[in-house]
Amino acid sequence: MTFEPTLDFARQLDAQDPLRDFRQHFLIPPAPDGQECLYFCGNSLGLQPRTARAAAERQFENWQNLAVEGHFKGETPWMYFHQRLQDATARIVGAKPVEVVVMNNLTTNLHLLLVSFYQPTATRYKVLMEAGAFPSDQYALETQVRMRGLNPDDAIVELTPRPGEYTLRTEDIMARIEELGDSLCTVIMGGINYYTGQVYDMAAITRAGHAVGATVGFDLAHAAGNIPLHLHDWDVDFACWCSYKYLNSGPGGVSGVFVHERFADQPELLRLAGWWGYDDKERFKMKKGFRPMRGAAGWQLSNGAVLTMAVHEAALAEHEAAGGMPALRQKSELLTGYLEFLINRLGLTKQQLEIITPADPAQRGCQLSLLIHHNGRDLFEHLMAVGVIGDWREPNVIRLAPVPLYNTFEDVYRVGEVLAEWAARQ
Ligand SMILES: Cc1ncc(COP(=O)(O)O)c(C=O)c1O
């Protein structure tokens, strides 16, 4: 599409947008002037669906009216609540329902999966991850490695971009995997890097990891609900993600887990167990000896967080109603492309502002990461002061993410205007 830098053009795109009505399904916070803010932070915390509160309230009512019997009675018995999320979750990540479960929070799930899928031996014990992965992932890996009696400096191998580059080249990732060969136990990377917004080639990384006998998993915090995923077909071993970013399920919302179907019937696979992972037909017989449920459900520990799962169910319904990832992705590429177009025409040098997210739409999702070498924090404060909500990532990046469910082309145009005023002062 040929973009134009005018309000009329942006409004024309909004008028043609098949998802235009979905913005009304979300609550948009006010800007300092009392008008709706320009919310570009769905990569950090997605907006609240209007249906979320009522969904939680229905469970408060069940708790009020049914109390303990709510586990088995009412329209949505709590004992099986997680199953209500299974089909939509599977569609979002390209999985079979048996391969997914919703439980806990993201870092907890990452640890649980690493217990099963990072099983080092004396010779095969290395973990490959991207340098500058989200800190929680770094800490998870560091402590997992220590728990196995290994030294993180030796066991963790980090992938860094080439000098002068910000993102990783797939061929360099492949080469590193091959080089590590028999010593590589597990590859664990973000599906999308939180800082640069780069999408990694998950299919290629999985193939390469498997070719040397390693397990391969992804932290999909920035990918789930943002880009199309095909975890089953890509043959990924394990993955986990949060629901509060592009899945709009509220702060601290429940996390999703994927375990490939080939592990579904391996009860002997090492794991940390709890009663909710126990065969649900026998669970209340309270027997000795752990017998896991089939598939990802066998990794559950505790009874489900129904209040947050109820919100998640309401939010997933919005994604489904919008047509799921294919429809969202179509709009997303245009929205982010329009933002990129408006930034590129500011006429700034790379020393002033540089988009470090790949220009190739196939290698990015909603987010653009703007590297501002000097006084970036001033620009960020200015954006916030005029009602543009993005986020700041140390040491010098502003992340802006137009989200297809609720952002408009006019939002993008208006952010472009704010940036143009700032650029004129540089
Ligand atoms: C890529 C990534 N991994 C892990 C986390 C940590 O998530 P949680 O606090 O839900 O464990 C985040 C949080 O934003 C994240 O962006």
Side-chain angles (χ1 to χ4, degrees):
M1 173 175 295
T2 313
F3 293 123
E4 291 171 29
T6 65
L7 182 56
D8 277 353
F9 177 78
R11 286 183 171 162
Q12 207 180 309
L13 287 185
D14 284 329
Q16 294 162 2
D17 171 15
L19 301 182
R20 64 185 173 276
D21 293 340
F22 279 86
R23 181 184 180 84
Q24 308 309 324
H25 299 193
F26 291 86
L27 296 163
I28 306 198
D33 66 1
Q35 303 294 309
E36 283 180 348
C37 75
L38 295 169
Y39 195 76
F40 279 73
C41 214
N43 57 320
S44 187
L45 183 73
L47 290 181
Q48 183 183 144
R50 285 183 189 274
T51 50
R53 189 183 293 255
E57 263 165 17
R58 276 195 292 281
Q59 298 311 323
F60 276 109
E61 279 158 22
N62 286 341
W63 182 14
Q64 177 179 338
N65 297 323
L66 300 168
V68 70
E69 298 216 279
H71 285 295
F72 302 101
K73 291 194 173 157
E75 280 174 17
T76 58
W78 300 329
M79 160 110 172
Y80 306 106
F81 203 96
H82 62 279
Q83 292 173 1
R84 302 173 61 79
L85 311 171
Q86 216 166 357
D87 289 354
T89 299
R91 279 191 282 276
I92 282 173
V93 297
K96 296 187 175 183
V98 71
E99 294 175 317
V100 295
V101 71
V102 166
M103 61 184 195
N104 309 320
N105 290 90
L106 173 51
T107 309
T108 309
N109 287 337
L110 185 58
H111 275 297
L112 292 177
L113 291 169
L114 286 168
V115 163
S116 299
F117 293 99
Y118 175 56
Q119 294 195 27
T121 66
T123 52
R124 188 188 281 283
Y125 62 91
K126 303 264 185 190
V127 185
L128 184 67
M129 65 191 302
E130 81 254 48
F134 191 81
S136 206
D137 297 29
Q138 295 182 40
Y139 308 148
L141 261 299
E142 180 189 325
T143 51
Q144 282 278 338
V145 161
R146 280 192 205 285
M147 269 181 42
R148 318 305 172 91
L150 297 165
N151 175 359
D153 293 337
D154 175 34
I156 299 176
V157 180
E158 292 190 334
L159 290 156
T160 39
R162 293 185 187 189
E165 298 185 7
Y166 299 108
T167 52
L168 292 170
R169 297 193 192 190
T170 304
E171 74 245 39
D172 291 353
I173 304 174
M174 305 289 102
R176 200 78 178 99
I177 290 174
E178 218 173 295
E179 193 183 302
L180 288 165
D182 287 350
S183 70
L184 184 60
C185 184
T186 301
V187 180
I188 172 78
M189 294 183 65
I192 297 184
N193 180 268
Y194 83 101
Y195 193 76
T196 62
Q198 178 184 16
V199 175
Y200 298 124
D201 186 339
M202 289 173 256
I205 293 170
T206 305
R207 269 196 307 277
H210 287 173
V212 299
T215 52
V216 182
F218 293 96
D219 171 346
L220 300 174
H222 287 265
N226 179 9
I227 57 165
L229 296 165
H230 306 282
L231 298 184
H232 177 84
D233 291 346
W234 293 341
D235 214 24
V236 168
D237 295 303
F238 67 99
C240 46
W241 55 94
C242 58
S243 62
Y244 45 78
K245 298 179 188 294
Y246 297 99
L247 296 176
N248 307 93
S249 301
V254 275
S255 160
V257 161
F258 167 89
V259 176
H260 197 280
E261 190 182 29
R262 67 179 160 281
F263 305 107
D265 295 303
Q266 294 190 15
E268 70 291 351
L269 185 57
L270 211 63
R271 69 190 82 191
L272 293 179
W275 74 317
W276 227 250
Y278 195 91
D279 180 355
D280 59 1
K281 288 174 217 68
E282 300 272 300
R283 188 179 296 152
F284 286 89
K285 295 194 176 152
M286 310 299 202
K287 288 184 185 160
K288 215 173 160 54
F290 179 65
R291 288 214 339 242
M293 307 231 306
R294 263 200 97 222
W299 269 263
Q300 293 173 101
L301 295 182
S302 303
N303 72 94
V306 170
L307 295 173
T308 52
M309 284 198 290
V311 172
H312 193 31
E313 185 182 21
L316 289 175
E318 293 295 343
H319 282 251
E320 295 264 296
M325 277 323 301
L328 292 168
R329 177 64 174 169
Q330 214 174 358
K331 177 174 172 190
S332 172
E333 285 191 14
L334 280 179
L335 268 181
T336 300
Y338 192 41
L339 180 61
E340 178 186 45
F341 163 79
L342 293 172
I343 293 172
N344 283 342
R345 53 184 313 284
L346 296 176
L348 294 168
T349 64
K350 282 193 170 180
Q351 279 63 46
Q352 290 170 309
L353 186 156
E354 188 175 359
I355 300 176
I356 59 170
T357 308
D360 172 10
Q363 290 183 59
R364 68 184 185 204
C366 296
Q367 172 188 328
L368 291 183
S369 300
L370 318 185
L371 177 64
I372 324 260
H373 293 279
H374 304 290
N375 304 327
R377 186 83 210 182
D378 291 350
L379 170 58
F380 176 69
E381 304 288 351
H382 174 66
L383 289 170
M384 296 294 283
V386 298
V388 177
I389 315 292
D391 73 6
W392 173 254
R393 282 290 169 262
E394 294 293 346
N396 48 12
V397 158
I398 294 173
R399 304 186 303 179
L400 295 176
V403 170
L405 262 176
Y406 45 77
N407 281 118
T408 60
F409 291 90
E410 181 168 340
D411 286 345
V412 173
Y413 173 80
R414 294 203 180 280
V415 168
E417 271 192 322
V418 175
L419 290 171
E421 284 158 19
W422 171 79
R425 293 197 301 271
Q426 300 310 300

